[in-house]
Amino acid sequence: MRIYKAGIASFVLIASLAACDKGFESLNKDPNAVTGDRFNPAYLLASAQLQTAKNGGEANTGLFYCEGFVQHFASLSNVGIFNFHGDKYVYHKGNNEALWFASYDIVKLLQDLIQNTQEVVEYNNLLQMSRIWRTVVFQRLTDLYGDVPYSEAGLAFYQHIYKPKYDSQKFIYEHMLAELEDATAKLNSDMPLYPSADIVYDGDIQKWKRLGYSMMLRLGMRLSKVEPENAKLWVQKAYNGGVFESNDDNLFIRGTDAEGTIEALSNADSWVLSVSTREGGKISKTFFDFLKNHHDPRLKHTVAVYTNPMDITTKNTDPAIQKGLPNGLDRNTLMADPSYDPDAPGQEHQYSGINRDVYGKLDGPRMFITHGEVALLLAEATVRGWIGGNAAEYYGTGVRSAMKNLSIYDPSALISDAEINEYLAENPFVGTQDLPAAFEQINTQYWAATFMNGYEAFANVRRSGYPRLIPVNYPDNETGGLFPRRLRYPENEAVLNTDHYKEAVARQGTDNYITRLWWDKED
């Protein structure tokens, strides 16, 4: 009987457990989990765009290295200091590598987006936008390092490629241009637009098309020394396709946290200049003198002296006290420089810094490509005879748009038409009789127009050779006093991706700061 009763009890218990098991599956399901039927790839585009503008320390590479290389900024920092290493061509591992790692984080997002949209018709525009954005990301990367993992990048999950090969820059440029041509042509305003996922153009297909062709123009012009006939072909395609028409087309991303409560939501450049590195950088004497000597109305909106950079109430915009800091000085050599006034308030801070109320706003824009740049590239293309039109008109339009662009940073920096007209009257286009003079004038204006976009400024100075910057030769620099041509690969690449790293170095040249990239052909 005991055995019988135990059997009955066991049966009841088992039956009860079986009954209780019903519904466990639904109880254990996370209602907030992202499943295949709920996944929206559009959000990956917004994430990729946001990270391109605000990914961690990536802004340090553009500011601390590239803006120093092109002498937009200068600094008294020296070896071992965390900021503005480009002033003296010295090595800092973290900021030398920041763009590399940030870029591949973004590439992973874009690869996920491409994988999940390429076979779904309704995602056509999303796919094409992601392909154009991938070019925006890789153009910065290859222009700074040269040969990089490209065709196999972001494929670890999809194809189990954990050590991607380095593609030659020539291949990368050919593929990027082909991608721009194909993706831009396939954008279709009659298909879903995804405005809520596009934090740049709100799904405006015509603006995306103009971005695609403007990027094509930029990349095409990059080939002007190494493959001029190919450059001409791509420039003509971009011109015929339709490039930026005004500053309304500019590619920029704003910060959204004006108070700086959350760094990730603030403008990355502004965070560096207004929060984390307020004492570090000054306006370079090279850039300052160019603006001042040409009576450039941008100057008054660009500079300010902060005798105590930690205290914004010490800001002084009096034109009489503004001056740029010569590149290549440190705190030991500063006082012997003729520019230093021992009686001026602020000591080392007697030099002009950036006007934070214009360029240091935490909810301000970060520019990637502008109408002013595009118009100046068209001016050069016209001088070269690659496209029709009037070079002087393109030059004037480029200067005008570049000056008007300052008001996007802050309305207080609006430059009037009268001021611009006066400037152009004093600094007219030199004409096409002297080609080197025309190229120098156009590309020096491009250098001014790309202030605060160090990646592009550094790339175009190398391509064009203008302005003719005097290199510095600070002790322990990476170039031996030569103008830099690139940054070094991350140190762990030689260890973690050894074979492909060695192949790239053998093809491109020594992994240092003076090896020229493929398109950076020596004159």
Side-chain angles (χ1 to χ4, degrees), residues 326-387:
N327 290 89
L329 297 176
D330 62 23
R331 289 176 176 86
N332 295 320
T333 59
L334 172 65
M335 294 182 186
D337 190 83
S339 68
Y340 182 75
D341 180 358
D343 298 322
Q347 297 181 324
E348 68 184 65
H349 301 304
Q350 64 187 261
Y351 296 91
S352 299
I354 198 166
N355 186 339
R356 295 184 210 161
D357 291 328
V358 176
Y359 286 105
K361 296 175 64 175
L362 297 177
D363 60 347
R366 188 171 180 198
M367 297 286 170
F368 296 97
I369 181 170
T370 66
H371 176 244
E373 298 168 41
V374 166
L376 291 166
L377 290 177
L378 292 177
E380 181 181 341
T382 304
V383 172
R384 292 179 179 275
W386 291 353
I387 60 172

Side-chain angles (χ1 to χ4, degrees), residues 379-385 391 429-443 464 466 468:
E380 181 181 341
T382 304
V383 172
R384 292 179 179 275
F429 180 57
V430 297
T432 59
Q433 298 303 311
D434 185 343
L435 293 183
F439 292 148
E440 180 173 14
Q441 185 184 37
I442 292 167
N443 285 288
S464 69
Y466 301 113
R468 296 190 181 279

Side-chain angles (χ1 to χ4, degrees), residues 417-523:
D417 289 334
E419 290 176 293
I420 298 173
N421 292 340
E422 182 178 357
Y423 178 86
L424 289 172
E426 289 185 21
N427 302 276
F429 180 57
V430 297
T432 59
Q433 298 303 311
D434 185 343
L435 293 183
F439 292 148
E440 180 173 14
Q441 185 184 37
I442 292 167
N443 285 288
T444 302
Q445 286 291 346
Y446 195 94
W447 169 71
T450 50
F451 178 66
M452 291 300 297
N453 184 356
Y455 297 121
E456 182 57 22
F458 181 42
N460 199 66
V461 166
R462 286 174 289 161
R463 176 194 73 87
S464 69
Y466 301 113
R468 296 190 181 279
L469 303 172
I470 299 174
V472 302
N473 194 9
Y474 189 81
D476 299 319
N477 71 72
E478 292 289 312
T479 72
L482 300 175
F483 187 75
R485 315 310 299 192
R486 63 184 290 272
L487 292 186
R488 285 160 46 180
Y489 292 126
E491 292 178 9
N492 67 7
E493 282 294 293
V495 177
L496 301 179
N497 197 3
T498 307
D499 291 343
H500 292 134
Y501 167 82
K502 289 181 177 180
E503 289 171 1
V505 172
R507 179 175 58 237
Q508 179 169 265
T510 307
D511 185 17
N512 60 26
Y513 277 30
I514 58 175
T515 292
R516 288 176 177 264
L517 309 185
W518 166 74
W519 55 251
D520 183 17
K521 183 179 178 182
E522 192 165 7
D523 292 330

Side-chain angles (χ1 to χ4, degrees), residues 28 31 59 76 117 138-139 171 181 221 252 265 273 292 298 312 327 355 367 412-413 417 431 444 454 456 471 484:
N28 289 327
L76 298 175
T117 58
F138 268 111
Q139 175 253 310
F171 171 84
E181 182 177 33
M221 289 299 294
F252 64 87
L265 298 180
L273 295 169
K292 181 178 181 179
R298 285 173 286 199
I312 60 174
N327 290 89
N355 186 339
M367 297 286 170
S412 68
D417 289 334
T444 302
E456 182 57 22

Side-chain angles (χ1 to χ4, degrees), residues 5-26:
K5 288 180 180 179
I8 293 293
S10 298
F11 175 78
V12 171
L13 178 61
I14 293 170
S16 298
L17 288 173
C20 289
D21 187 54
K22 294 178 180 179
F24 275 4
E25 183 177 350
S26 60

Side-chain angles (χ1 to χ4, degrees), residues 285-336:
K285 184 178 188 298
T286 307
F287 187 54
F288 181 94
D289 286 355
F290 170 78
L291 297 179
K292 181 178 181 179
N293 294 341
H294 289 82
H295 304 132
D296 195 313
R298 285 173 286 199
L299 180 61
K300 64 187 176 186
H301 302 294
T302 300
V303 302
V305 169
Y306 295 83
T307 51
N308 178 359
M310 305 303 290
D311 181 0
I312 60 174
T313 66
T314 66
K315 174 184 176 181
N316 190 333
T317 58
D318 180 0
I321 70 167
Q322 306 300 322
K323 61 182 176 181
L325 176 67
N327 290 89
L329 297 176
D330 62 23
R331 289 176 176 86
N332 295 320
T333 59
L334 172 65
M335 294 182 186

